[in-house]
Each structure stands twice: as structure tokens, then as C-alpha cells.
Amino acid sequence: MKSVTTSSALSLAAVIFFLPSVASHGFLRTLKVDGKAYYGREPGTGAGPSSSTTTVIRTIDNTNPLHLSDAKISSYLSCGRGAATRGAPHHASVKPGSNLVFHWDAGDGSAWPHDSGPMITYIASCGNAGCSKVDSSKAKWWKLNQVGKVSTPGNNWVQGKVHKGQSYSFKLPKNMPDGNFLLRHEIIALHLADKVNGAEFYPSCSQITVTGGPNKKMTGMAVKFPGAYHLTDKGIHINIWDSLGTYHFPGPALAVFTVDEDDREDGDEDCDEEEEEPAFKTKNSQIVTVIGRITAAHGE
């Protein structure tokens, strides 16, 4: 009888140990644009909300993490499980310089469960027809913003603030061009990344329409998902407990928006050179400019 009791206790302990993992992942609950909130649907609740709901976030099947080596779900890396062709019915209206606030939480409504790893945002142009019918796995993505550690040396990440229930925000570039775009905001959890294929990916896509911007061209390295990341990238296969220095972000460099000659105003050529953004070369010698503005994560 004693052995049965002990066995039962061990089984119960195992169940209790693994219970948090069921609800230990999450999704993008809310996107705010200049204070206006757009709420995502609960994962697994269908293709989209009713026409009376202003949802712009594509609905995912569930909150389980994605891993790079799983070929069966490779198309999910663009916008999340089942969301590559599951367009939202609406687009959020934004303008250059708009403040975007992303609020993540766990599938059970509690705070985001992870605290280590980067948060990276990409955009893809959808064309004049909008994004609702765009297959995100075939889209070309430019990196818009990225944030990693709060400071170095150390292992304190901005994602840790999200873990504490805060939101993450940044402002769109003031020279953002007009158009319909998919906004791909992802969290990469690196707590198990010391093992190959241990990194966990949580992408989410929102549909936006930018108006009021200048006539700009988006240049830099465009990538596709899958394809942008590799199992052995420094920022993906990493022991974060031993790597306390500078973090190497995966994917391309940040994009740049260049002025068309026809859009240049009188006197632009006399601008002070000190006002220009710093530029650097990627490995393929493309010139890119750091444009992402990172604001401190804050509570809502």
C-alpha cells in the first residue's frame, strides 16, 4: 500500500509540475495605435471576428511555440499558427510617427510567461488591395524595430518587463511611407536555446494602413518566413546564462526609407549633416540606417 501511495504522489507531482506548461505560452492580446485599442481573438476561435468588431490582429490556432526545424509548421513562422492565410477583416489606421503599444499575455489571461529573448518587428507591403487576403508566408519582410537586453553585461531583457505584465511600445518612423502593411511583431524566448532548436518563436501579425506619409522607398534586405532565421544563428542557438555580453539579433539589419528625388523639398540639400541617421553596411554591402525607436516598456 505504501508503494502505491508513493507512486500516486509522484504521479500527482509530475502532473502539477507539467500543468504550467499547458498555459505557459501566449499571444498578442492587444495592439494600441495612438491610444486606440484593437483586440485579438482568443486563439482557436475561428477565422476572424464579426463585422462589428474592429479586430486587425490575425487569429492563431493556439499558443504553442514554434521551432525552426519543424517543417510541418514552417508556414506558421510568418504570422503564427494557422494565420498565414487567415486575414483579419480590418486594418488599423496609422500615420508616420504613430505610437504602437503591444500587450502580450498567456493563454489563460495571466502575464506573459517568459522573460529572456528579443522582441522584433517586421513589415511587409500588401499592395493597394489590402492585407486581408495576403498569404504572409509569401510576403517579403523588412525589419522595422528590435529590442533585446536592457543593458550589458547582464541577462536582463526588455521581455522581462512584459513578463511582469507591462506593454512594449515604439513609434513608427516619421518617414514611413503610405500603404497597406502587415505588421509582424514577434517574441523569441531563449530560455532553452542552449540546445539546437530550443528557441521558441511567437509571431503575431496585425494589418495596418499608413496615410499621411512622405513619398519614400523602402530599401534594405527583405526576407521571408521561413528562411530569415537559421538554427545556428548566434542569436538563436545561445546559452543566455553564459552569454552576458552584447546580443546578436537574428535576421537582417533594420530597413531604411529613402527620399524620392521628386519628394525632396527646397532647401533639403542644405540640411546639417549632423541631423542624418547613422548608416552602416550589412554583409552584402547594402546600406541601411538604424531607424527603430525603442521606448521603455510601460504598464497600461
Side-chain angles (χ1 to χ4, degrees):
M1 179 64 69
K2 184 177 180 180
S3 61
V4 173
T5 303
T6 301
S7 177
S8 299
L10 290 175
S11 298
L12 179 60
V15 170
I16 294 174
F17 179 79
F18 283 110
L19 271 177
S21 66
V22 175
S24 65
H25 311 299
F27 69 109
L28 181 65
R29 174 79 63 176
T30 311
L31 168 67
K32 283 187 177 181
V33 179
D34 295 330
K36 182 176 181 178
Y38 298 89
Y39 299 96
R41 292 197 72 183
E42 293 289 335
T45 56
S50 66
S51 59
S52 62
T53 305
T54 57
T55 293
V56 302
I57 303 172
R58 292 192 170 190
T59 305
I60 58 175
D61 289 340
N62 56 58
T63 63
N64 293 337
L66 302 176
H67 297 276
L68 291 184
S69 68
D70 192 341
K72 294 181 180 179
I73 60 172
S74 61
S75 66
Y76 297 170
L77 287 170
S78 58
C79 285
R81 290 179 179 270
T85 57
R86 184 182 293 149
H90 302 284
H91 291 65
S93 179
V94 305
K95 58 186 178 181
S98 283
N99 188 51
L100 306 181
V101 181
F102 303 86
H103 184 76
W104 292 77
D105 62 30
D108 60 359
S110 60
W112 177 252
H114 307 302
D115 62 3
S116 303
M119 294 183 288
I120 306 177
T121 306
Y122 294 81
I123 55 172
S125 176
C126 298
N128 295 333
C131 300
S132 295
K133 295 183 178 181
V134 169
D135 183 344
S136 61
S137 67
K138 299 179 180 179
K140 294 182 179 180
W141 299 91
W142 282 265
K143 185 183 285 186
L144 189 65
N145 176 266
Q146 58 188 11
V147 62
K149 294 184 178 181
V150 174
S151 61
T152 54
N155 199 27
N156 185 18
W157 302 76
V158 175
Q159 186 183 156
K161 297 182 179 181
V162 178
H163 174 63
K164 295 178 180 179
Q166 299 179 21
S167 299
Y168 172 68
S169 68
F170 73 91
K171 292 184 178 180
L172 285 178
K174 292 183 178 180
N175 55 359
M176 181 84 178
D178 288 354
N180 299 303
F181 296 95
L182 278 174
L183 183 72
R184 181 186 183 274
H185 180 63
E186 74 175 337
I187 290 180
I188 303 177
L190 298 177
H191 56 290
L192 300 175
D194 57 317
K195 298 179 180 180
V196 175
N197 203 41
E200 297 179 357
F201 297 83
Y202 301 89
S204 176
C205 287
S206 302
Q207 298 173 179
I208 64 173
T209 298
V210 181
T211 58
N215 186 17
K216 298 285 183 176
K217 291 182 178 180
M218 190 160 47
T219 62
M221 184 187 299
V223 296
K224 289 187 176 184
F225 289 98
Y229 300 154
H230 304 90
L231 286 173
T232 56
D233 287 348
K234 289 183 178 180
I236 292 176
H237 182 208
I238 177 176
N239 187 331
I240 58 173
W241 316 111
D242 292 337
S243 303
L244 302 180
T246 301
Y247 175 71
H248 298 278
F249 291 94
L254 293 166
V256 62
F257 304 104
T258 60
V259 182
D260 280 353
E261 290 300 323
D262 294 339
D263 190 54
R264 186 180 292 274
E265 298 180 358
D266 293 340
D268 280 357
E269 62 273 15
D270 296 326
C271 289
D272 189 342
E273 290 185 359
E274 293 183 358
E275 296 293 329
E276 295 179 359
E277 295 282 353
F280 58 95
K281 291 185 177 182
T282 60
K283 292 182 179 180
N284 64 349
S285 298
Q286 291 176 307
I287 299 295
V288 297
T289 301
V290 178
I291 60 170
R293 178 182 294 276
I294 299 172
T295 60
H298 57 81
E300 299 191 314

